[in-house]
Amino acid sequence: MVVQMSLQARLRSVETQVLAEKFLVYASSNCTAVECRALAGRADGLVVKQANRTVLNAAKSSGFSGLVLLDPAEYERRTGPSETIVQSLLGQRDAISIQQEEEVDAYLSPSGYIPDGDVGLLMRVIEDGAAFCAETTSASHVAPAFIVLPVGSAWLARDSDRRVLIATAQACGYPIAIVLGSDFDPLSSRTAVIGLIDFVSAVNNVLLLRADLNSIGGVALGALCAAIGVGTAGRHFRPPGARPKRRGATTDKSPSTLWIPGGSFHRGSLFEHSYDDQGLLNCACAVCDGRHLRRFGDPASRPESRLHSVAGWYQIAQNLIAHDPEDRPKAWQARCEMAVDATKELRRRTQVDYRSPTAQIWKSVLG
């Protein structure tokens, strides 16, 4: 049976307001401490995997003082909760102790992955997470606690699974940090985006953890906050035991870089070989200051590309939350329509097959 909301749960729910409308950087495992500090300085804070906490400590030592979350990321290693209560409690207490030492702004449960359609495992992970959240109330460092809910997009895309997911998340009474697992973009379908909208509209205090630009739309439709990943692997995770399904090897080492008007990521080499764009690939963000994106064709430009991309999506997010909450869905719809139109124009000018899949799907869903 799912643990019902207690007084402590309601109090912790109020405390989540420290994260309301915040957009954090979810750091890649290969980000250095210096890079983490620089990236987080372009947004509202930083999320680091628990295994990389030394990087977080180094970033703090070098002056970083923004919002901090530490993700145990157990969902990368195992499915469901630990096999026995003793192991589960010990593991959870260890996660609490580590996060307490780092003085996190919210505790994240060490949840395992929940395979598609496994309702029994969903219940057990939620119960484990609720026990974790309750245990954090005895920690000396006070912060809200989130049940991490690691699922595949099928939980959102299929009506029956979505209803169970939403009802279970609502009943637990604790804030939820949902993180999506897939080999490729888990929100690449219209039905998955509709499911995301339903979830954030129905469940209070949702953190979109390890997300992509879809999370900006998620916050527009009701999510509390988001942590957007640096690099593709940081924007979703591969479920444990899953075999990589590669579309084909590539020798292109240029960084995946955000084109802000289209809200889409492209290899830097694509910008490098796009001619006659007539200024559409000149970027006015704080990092680029009017320079052309073709410089990101150089693999050595990865650190600057990451800074540019974070500055870009944070700018998009801030433009959105400047609107009153009731106006944000329409503002996000308008932003997506503009992104689709801008991409069509860039494709026309350069004769290169640019696409804006995120904006295209949201335009279809909200239009």
Side-chain angles (χ1 to χ4, degrees), residues 25-360:
V25 174
Y26 193 107
S28 293
S29 297
N30 61 2
C31 286
T32 65
V34 172
E35 191 173 10
C36 282
R37 178 186 174 188
L39 291 168
R42 297 285 176 183
D44 293 317
L46 182 66
V47 185
V48 173
K49 289 183 188 179
Q50 187 170 293
N52 298 332
R53 60 186 297 217
T54 54
V55 173
L56 175 59
N57 289 328
K60 287 180 176 179
S61 297
S62 67
F64 172 69
S65 60
L67 294 169
V68 168
L69 302 182
L70 202 62
D71 183 9
E74 283 293 317
Y75 49 79
E76 292 185 330
R77 292 179 283 277
R78 61 172 171 83
T79 297
S82 300
E83 290 303 314
T84 70
I85 293 176
V86 173
Q87 288 175 337
S88 176
L89 288 175
L90 288 175
Q92 292 193 26
R93 286 173 182 155
D94 184 52
I96 291 170
S97 297
I98 291 171
Q99 293 180 58
Q100 176 180 268
E101 288 175 13
E102 300 298 342
E103 297 184 336
V104 294
D105 289 281
Y107 291 95
L108 300 177
S109 71
S111 304
Y113 176 63
I114 307 164
D116 294 342
D118 194 329
V119 176
L121 208 56
L122 169 66
M123 298 295 185
R124 289 173 60 200
V125 167
I126 288 283
E127 288 173 356
D128 238 24
F132 169 88
C133 292
E135 186 76 12
T136 65
T137 62
S138 62
S140 59
H141 174 69
V142 177
F146 286 75
I147 298 175
V148 175
L149 203 57
V151 296
S153 59
W155 279 104
L156 296 175
R158 289 199 293 252
D159 288 343
S160 57
D161 288 346
R162 184 194 314 159
R163 287 195 294 270
V164 171
L165 188 71
I166 288 174
T168 307
Q170 287 174 325
C172 76
Y174 286 99
I176 297 291
I178 190 167
V179 54
L180 299 177
S182 175
D183 279 324
F184 301 120
D185 181 2
L187 292 172
S188 60
S189 71
R190 191 172 184 275
T191 52
V193 170
I194 290 172
L196 176 68
I197 293 171
D198 286 351
F199 188 84
V200 300
S201 300
V203 180
N204 293 327
N205 295 310
V206 174
L207 160 60
L208 299 172
L209 182 64
R210 201 164 171 169
D212 59 15
L213 267 66
N214 284 288
S215 64
I216 301 177
V219 172
L221 273 295
L224 178 74
C225 58
I228 298 179
V230 174
T232 303
R235 291 190 276 273
H236 59 265
F237 71 96
R238 179 174 295 128
R243 286 187 173 184
K245 297 178 181 178
R246 301 194 181 278
R247 289 178 173 146
T250 178
T251 58
D252 188 350
K253 302 301 181 184
S254 62
S256 178
T257 303
L258 178 65
W259 182 51
I260 299 171
S264 50
F265 285 88
H266 307 279
R267 288 282 186 183
S269 59
L270 197 64
F271 302 133
E272 186 181 30
H273 297 108
S274 294
Y275 305 103
D276 200 27
D277 62 276
Q278 300 169 44
L280 284 182
L281 294 179
N282 289 342
C283 181
C285 81
V287 174
C288 295
D289 193 26
R291 287 177 292 167
H292 199 281
L293 297 181
R294 68 168 57 91
R295 69 190 190 281
F296 295 130
D298 182 358
S301 68
R302 187 176 308 278
E304 188 180 14
S305 166
R306 287 173 167 176
L307 279 173
H308 150 81
S309 294
V310 171
W313 58 247
Y314 189 71
Q315 174 187 317
I316 294 170
Q318 293 307 294
N319 289 342
L320 177 78
I321 64 172
H323 292 82
D324 292 333
E326 62 271 19
D327 297 329
R328 289 173 188 168
K330 283 294 185 184
W332 178 242
Q333 179 184 352
R335 175 65 177 77
C336 290
E337 289 172 350
M338 289 173 58
V340 170
D341 290 343
T343 304
K344 287 179 180 176
E345 180 61 18
L346 180 62
R347 191 161 59 239
R348 185 190 69 79
R349 293 187 188 183
T350 62
Q351 298 300 300
V352 174
D353 192 23
Y354 282 96
R355 303 206 174 255
S356 53
T358 297
Q360 187 69 59

